[in-house]
Amino acid sequence: MAGRKPTITDVARTAGVSKGLVSFALNDKPGVSPETRKRILEIAGDLGWRPSLSARSLSTSTSYALGLVIRRKAEVISADPFFPAFIAGVESVLTEEGRALVLSVVPDAAAELRSYRTLAGDSRVDGVFLTDLRTDDERFVLLAELGLPAVALGRPDPAVPFPSVQLDDTRGIAAAVAHLAGLGHSRIAHVAGDPRMMHGGRRRSSFDDAIREAGLEPGLVVETDFSASSGADATRQLLDAHRPPTAIVYANDPMAIAGLGVAQQRGLRVPGDLSITGFDGTDISGYVYPALTTITSDPVEWGRVAARTLLELVASGSADSVELPPASLLIRASTGPAPSHSGSTAAHS
């Protein structure tokens, strides 16, 4: 059988039984004695037999695939380590289950909705992951109409009829502001994400609340699309302000790393002149110079838990929402005491 994939016929011939009996044994159906089932499974393993997903799909009316549609610019996805890490977590579970991930990156809302209709209409996936939740998110209504199971990543509106995998990121933002205020910073800015995304708006609100809690004047805020380039532009805008900040809290690590580069290009010392914090705890954040103080969220584990939750929903028709451990502050070298002279940041800019 060199060069040819073993079939059920090969297993049956080697075991000396019918193809029907082999099929029953391999699919764990009743009517096969434990001894015979064990022998057939051992022979199948020795021959290198693997199940055909297309055949399984026809016999079980399932696609053995899950879907992930991401509505962001391609350059944002390519520069953001969160999604590769999340996908790695998903794949680690799907591989064990003999399933595949169908990934689509789309530019806008219309294209995203078309993708869901295509995935459901062609029965290409058994369920989908929903990322970047939005206020009054129309995707939930569409997926309910399509009968396509879904798991939301984040904290959706309570009325959403799907389970979610949630993580409290408000504590992380609050901890970052408290950390900087404790170091003597009074002019703290925020490079926020897309306000149309619930997590972008929630991190902005958390920042505003934390500034008030610290008794500081409202911080400067610049909204972005979460891309590194927009993070760099926002940093330049903040450093060009009449009274530039001495610390900046970024809504993700790529923007913080871009901001770190902008600051150093201008001759600013980090953290001597400017302190910087990120969000997501990406692996690369520990290897930039200085190492980035960031808020950790473990996207790989998020992917694993989301995959298990969606598989449970697909298999049984219901699944409980899961609350992950809250995001926490990881203090590294990019934050330090506020400059002794209030104008030091501006002097270098």
Side-chain angles (χ1 to χ4, degrees):
M1 281 180 285
R4 181 172 68 84
K5 182 179 178 180
T7 66
I8 283 182
T9 300
D10 297 319
V11 177
R13 183 182 302 113
T14 304
V17 298
S18 69
K19 288 196 298 181
L21 190 63
V22 170
S23 177
F24 271 49
L26 295 176
N27 289 286
D28 200 24
K29 293 183 178 180
V32 185
S33 70
E35 296 79 10
T36 301
R37 187 188 310 278
K38 180 181 178 184
R39 187 166 66 88
I40 290 173
L41 291 175
E42 288 175 348
I43 290 172
D46 292 341
L47 293 176
W49 178 88
R50 294 292 183 272
S52 164
L53 282 181
S54 58
R56 290 171 68 193
S57 298
L58 289 172
S59 64
T60 62
S61 299
T62 61
S63 67
Y64 290 93
L66 301 179
L68 174 61
V69 182
I70 305 174
R71 187 210 309 179
R72 293 210 193 183
K73 297 177 183 177
E75 56 268 27
V76 176
I77 300 296
S78 64
D80 190 344
F82 174 85
F83 282 104
F86 173 80
I87 290 170
V90 170
E91 289 282 20
S92 69
V93 173
L94 298 191
T95 298
E96 294 176 353
E97 298 290 331
R99 295 176 182 256
L101 179 67
V102 177
L103 173 65
S104 297
V105 178
V106 297
D108 53 45
E112 183 177 13
L113 297 180
R114 284 197 302 271
S115 292
Y116 292 125
R117 292 190 181 97
T118 299
L119 291 173
D122 295 344
S123 300
R124 293 180 61 192
V125 299
D126 300 319
V128 294
F129 303 99
L130 285 182
T131 68
D132 294 336
L133 304 186
R134 295 164 173 83
T135 304
D136 300 322
D137 203 317
E138 59 187 336
R139 295 176 296 175
F140 291 110
V141 174
L142 174 64
L143 293 174
E145 291 175 351
L146 295 173
L148 191 60
V151 166
L153 308 180
R155 201 175 301 276
D157 186 293
V160 167
F162 297 108
S164 62
V165 178
Q166 307 172 6
L167 178 144
D168 182 3
D169 49 17
T170 60
R171 298 190 204 179
I173 293 289
V177 172
H179 167 62
L180 293 168
L183 291 170
H185 293 275
S186 58
R187 295 200 308 279
I188 305 173
H190 180 43
V191 175
D194 189 336
R196 296 168 297 179
M197 298 179 188
M198 293 183 72
H199 65 290
R202 189 169 56 248
R203 292 175 192 179
R204 161 73 186 272
S205 297
S206 300
F207 173 80
D208 291 339
D209 291 344
I211 288 291
R212 284 192 295 269
E213 181 70 22
L216 303 178
E217 60 183 69
L220 294 171
V221 176
V222 180
E223 293 177 342
T224 71
D225 62 1
F226 279 113
S227 69
S229 61
S230 67
D233 290 340
T235 305
R236 296 185 188 99
Q237 180 180 334
L238 290 169
L239 295 180
D240 287 339
H242 175 64
R243 296 181 66 234
T246 62
I248 305 177
V249 175
Y250 291 82
N252 70 8
D253 282 355
M255 294 197 297
I257 293 171
L260 177 64
V262 168
Q264 292 177 334
Q265 286 170 358
R266 292 189 173 212
L268 293 173
R269 295 172 298 122
V270 178
D273 299 317
L274 178 69
S275 286
I276 287 176
T277 71
F279 196 112
D280 282 333
T282 55
D283 185 60
I284 192 64
S285 67
Y287 295 97
V288 296
Y289 181 80
L292 185 67
T293 292
T294 186
I295 299 161
T296 61
S297 62
D298 197 353
V300 174
E301 180 62 14
W302 205 333
R304 291 191 191 104
V305 174
R308 295 188 193 106
T309 302
L310 185 51
L311 288 175
E312 181 181 351
L313 178 63
V314 169
S316 66
S318 66
D320 293 331
S321 293
V322 179
E323 183 78 33
L324 296 172
S328 59
L329 182 66
L330 175 59
I331 299 173
R332 294 196 182 114
S334 67
T335 51
S340 55
H341 302 291
S342 61
S344 63
T345 305
H348 289 269
S349 63

